[in-house]
Amino acid sequence: MFKGLLRFALITGLTMLLTPYVSRLFDRLANRAPSGSFLEDTLLEFSDRYSSALIRSFGETLGELVLPSK
């Protein structure tokens, strides 16, 4: 029970702290990409939707490494 709460706190904290930075990074990279290109569209999509999912997956992986479920 305690490990589960600790893992939840770790994942939530990482997501809240890192998502704005990752989103800004993708925005900056999209601004440097050629206008109207597939790369620009992909980076903007990552910036808008997938940055929090990326950080959440990272947090889950880190939580599993630090506090294994078994």
Side-chain angles (χ1 to χ4, degrees):
M1 174 73 173
F2 179 71
K3 282 186 179 181
L5 289 174
L6 194 56
R7 286 179 66 196
F8 176 76
L10 177 70
I11 293 166
T12 304
L14 281 173
T15 302
M16 289 174 48
L17 289 174
L18 296 178
T19 298
Y21 297 110
V22 173
S23 181
R24 267 189 259 148
L25 173 70
F26 284 132
D27 279 339
R28 287 181 186 160
L29 290 173
N31 287 337
R32 292 181 183 176
S35 181
S37 68
F38 177 74
L39 178 62
E40 180 187 32
D41 292 339
T42 303
L43 290 170
L44 288 174
E45 188 73 23
F46 280 149
S47 170
D48 291 340
R49 295 187 183 174
Y50 296 111
S51 59
S52 61
L54 180 69
I55 299 300
R56 188 173 297 118
S57 297
F58 173 72
E60 289 175 359
T61 303
L62 186 62
E64 188 64 35
L65 290 174
V66 173
L67 302 165
S69 54
K70 290 186 179 182

